[in-house]
Amino acid sequence: DQQVKQNSPSLSVQEGRISILNCDYTNSMFDYFLWYKKYPAEGPTFLISISSIKDKNEDGRFTVFLNKSAKHLSLHIVPSQPGDSAVYFCAASSYNNNDMRFGAGTRLTVKP
Amino acid sequence: ETGVTQSPTHLIKTRGQQVTLRCSSQSGHNTVSWYQQALGQGPQFIFQYYREEENGRGNFPPRFSGLQFPNYSSELNVNALELDDSALYLCASSLGGIAEAFFGQGTRLTVV
C-alpha cells in the first residue's frame, strides 16, 4: 500500500529558478511530514519537516507547504543551485509512531 | 558528535545464506530504525528498536530480525536469503520516537 506518493520521478530546472517538488499522501492519520535529500552512495539527509498544525515551514532557501484538506505537500527551493541536484524523498508519519513511510523519490537536476 | 555508521558498505551473499548488518547510532540517540530500499523505490520500514526492545515492525517476514545493544548500536539479521533481498539497507537513528531520523550511508546487499 503506497500511502505516500511522489508522482514525478524527475524534475529539471535552470539554476536560479524555483524548484517545486510535490508529494501526496492517503493516510489521514499522518501528522508529521519530512523531506530528505539523497546523493549517490550516501544515506538520505534530513532537509526540512512540518507538523500538521502548520501549513508552512521555511529554512533558508527551502520551504515546505502542507495542504491537509488535499493531503498534499510540496517543497520549494528558491533559488535552485546545481548542488541541489539529488533525489528528494517525501516521508510521513505520526508523532510517537515508529513507522515512517517514504515516497519513491523525485530526481532533481539543476542545470547551470 | 559522530554520525550514523554502517558496516559493511557492500556485501555479496548466496541465496539461502544468512547475513548480519551492523549500525552504530549517532551519539545520544536511543532509537534505531532499519529500512530496505529496492532500486527505484523509497525506503521501506523493516523495524525499529528503542532502548533494546523492538518498537514496531513493518511488513517483513520473521527471517528479518534484529538486536539493539546497551550502547544503542544495532544489528539486522536476515536468514535464508532470497534474490529479492538484494537492496540497499539503511539504518537511521533518532532520539525518542519519530523526530528527524539521521541515516547512515547504507549497506548494499547483493544476493546471487
Side-chain angles (χ1 to χ4, degrees):
Chain A
D1 62 343
Q2 200 172 359
Q3 298 186 29
V4 178
K5 295 182 182 180
Q6 293 177 257
N7 292 320
S8 297
S10 64
L11 174 68
S12 181
V13 300
Q14 208 66 36
E15 181 179 6
R17 299 288 184 95
I18 184 172
S19 294
I20 299 177
L21 296 96
N22 293 304
C23 177
D24 297 294
Y25 63 96
T26 57
N27 188 340
S28 58
M29 298 301 291
F30 289 146
D31 55 13
Y32 195 66
F33 305 90
L34 309 92
W35 284 94
Y36 282 85
K37 178 171 69 173
K38 187 178 185 302
Y39 293 118
E42 295 183 12
T45 302
F46 170 73
L47 198 55
I48 192 169
S49 62
I50 188 168
S51 84
S52 59
I53 62 173
K54 295 185 175 182
D55 55 16
K56 177 182 173 181
N57 189 26
E58 283 182 87
D59 185 1
R61 298 185 297 114
F62 302 92
T63 303
V64 56
F65 295 92
L66 175 62
N67 183 333
K68 282 196 302 180
S69 60
K71 294 191 178 67
H72 176 84
L73 63 155
S74 60
L75 174 68
H76 293 210
I77 306 174
V78 183
S80 301
Q81 300 173 354
D84 295 330
S85 297
V87 177
Y88 288 78
F89 291 101
C90 167
S93 187
S94 308
Y95 277 117
N96 299 319
N97 192 342
N98 41 48
D99 185 353
M100 192 160 50
R101 301 291 181 114
F102 283 82
T106 297
R107 181 177 300 279
L108 173 66
T109 302
V110 181
K111 298 180 179 178
Chain B
E1 183 177 278
T2 58
V4 180
T5 57
Q6 293 185 242
S7 61
T9 54
H10 295 84
L11 200 54
I12 299 175
K13 287 287 190 178
T14 303
R15 188 171 51 182
Q17 285 188 314
Q18 178 265 343
V19 69
T20 298
L21 310 182
R22 294 178 175 83
C23 172
S24 294
S25 59
Q26 183 157 316
S27 176
H29 285 182
N30 55 16
T31 303
V32 172
S33 303
W34 286 91
Y35 292 83
Q36 179 195 67
Q37 186 180 10
L39 203 59
Q41 297 181 22
Q44 301 291 314
F45 177 72
I46 302 175
F47 44 58
Q48 182 184 84
Y49 279 84
Y50 172 67
R51 293 187 174 182
E52 304 179 58
E53 297 287 331
E54 187 177 291
N55 187 41
R57 188 179 183 91
N59 190 25
F60 280 82
R63 58 190 186 83
F64 285 78
S65 63
L67 280 174
Q68 187 178 33
F69 300 99
N71 65 356
Y72 302 134
S73 66
S74 178
E75 286 183 355
L76 164 65
N77 300 290
V78 187
N79 293 322
L81 283 166
E82 300 176 0
L83 297 179
D84 284 348
D85 295 333
S86 296
L88 180 68
Y89 288 84
L90 294 162
C91 164
S93 76
S94 59
L95 185 60
I98 182 68
E100 294 80 15
F102 293 84
F103 283 83
Q105 83 282 9
T107 294
R108 172 72 62 187
L109 173 65
T110 302
V111 182
V112 297

